[in-house]
Amino acid sequence: MTKASPLKAQEQQIVLCLRQHDVEGALQLIVAHFHEPLYWAIRKWVLVHEDADDVLQLSYVRIYKGISKFAFKSAVKTWCYRIAYNESMRFLEINKKRMRISQDYNAYRLENLYADPYFDANAADASLQKAIAELDNNQREVFCMKYYDELKFAEIAEIINRNENSVKTLFYKAKEIISNQIVLS
């Protein structure tokens, strides 16, 4: 008899709560199991700690409002990541408009990254983070989900609502750009 992986066991617990219409139990399990991975996924998209906290809270509100209508068409984890991704993109778009700095926005985000007390700026990590921050938004999103969150291409495609082959193309292009930038540094 094979044991279920911890991720599958977590998913099964949440699904059981949802099937029993135990929304509060499901929410508690989502927070317990996915809080840290969701935070770090959001953090990679928005870069700044305080912004990531805000976006995570907005994501929890959306999860809370939508969980009773969860249709079991995807994994709960994928559904939560999709919400966090959408909230992150909404946040970035609103910030871009509010700041009226479309071309300098990545420089602003990178500047805030280095000023962030949670950022470990050793040389290799700093070089990698700089290269990631300089990717275009689509490449950065896909690269971070694949590299850091170890999501499958199919999961990423579902989260960002794109074709799986497009996701692969974005990832490999981002990987090539990062490799070239780190080698040149």
Side-chain angles (χ1 to χ4, degrees):
M1 183 172 175
T2 60
K3 269 184 147 176
S5 72
L7 184 60
K8 285 187 180 187
Q10 295 167 352
E11 185 80 22
Q12 289 170 347
Q13 289 176 315
I14 296 167
V15 167
L16 180 62
C17 285
L18 290 172
R19 293 203 187 280
Q20 294 173 346
H21 304 289
D22 179 7
V23 172
E24 294 302 318
L27 285 169
Q28 288 176 354
L29 289 170
I30 286 170
V31 171
H33 296 311
F34 302 140
H35 180 79
E36 191 169 335
L38 283 175
Y39 167 81
W40 285 107
I42 293 166
R43 176 72 184 273
K44 288 173 206 114
W45 295 319
V46 301
L47 292 181
V48 180
H49 167 70
E50 290 79 12
D51 294 343
D53 276 346
D54 292 345
V55 172
L56 182 59
Q57 291 307 312
L58 293 169
S59 299
Y60 282 142
V61 169
R62 292 241 186 224
I63 289 168
Y64 177 77
K65 287 181 178 179
I67 198 157
S68 63
K69 299 175 204 111
F70 183 74
F72 303 96
K73 291 181 180 177
S74 65
V76 176
K77 176 186 173 191
T78 304
W79 180 72
C80 291
Y81 266 78
R82 172 76 185 236
I83 290 171
Y85 171 80
N86 288 339
E87 285 301 315
S88 297
M89 296 307 106
R90 193 174 291 115
F91 174 85
L92 290 172
E93 191 58 35
I94 289 168
N95 255 349
K96 212 184 250 189
K97 287 178 184 174
R98 187 177 345 140
M99 293 172 52
R100 298 181 194 270
I101 308 175
S102 58
Q103 293 182 334
D104 294 332
Y105 189 64
N106 280 342
Y108 162 78
R109 290 173 61 198
L110 190 58
E111 180 181 310
N112 277 300
L113 175 66
Y114 286 112
D116 189 328
Y118 295 99
F119 178 67
D120 178 17
N122 70 44
D125 192 41
S127 179
L128 175 62
Q129 293 304 322
K130 182 179 185 295
I132 291 170
E134 290 176 353
L135 293 171
D136 76 34
N137 287 338
N138 293 322
Q139 292 168 339
R140 183 175 45 257
E141 294 156 8
V142 168
F143 182 82
C144 288
M145 283 190 260
K146 181 70 176 160
Y147 182 78
Y148 290 113
D149 301 324
E150 299 176 353
L151 296 175
K152 294 179 173 84
F153 286 121
E155 291 174 311
I156 297 168
E158 187 174 339
I159 290 167
I160 65 172
N161 197 27
R162 286 197 170 206
N163 173 299
E164 188 173 338
N165 287 331
S166 298
V167 168
K168 288 178 182 177
T169 300
L170 286 167
F171 174 76
Y172 290 115
K173 182 64 178 171
K175 187 175 167 185
E176 177 186 334
I177 290 167
I178 290 169
S179 296
N180 289 339
Q181 282 188 318
I182 290 175
V183 168
L184 296 174
S185 299

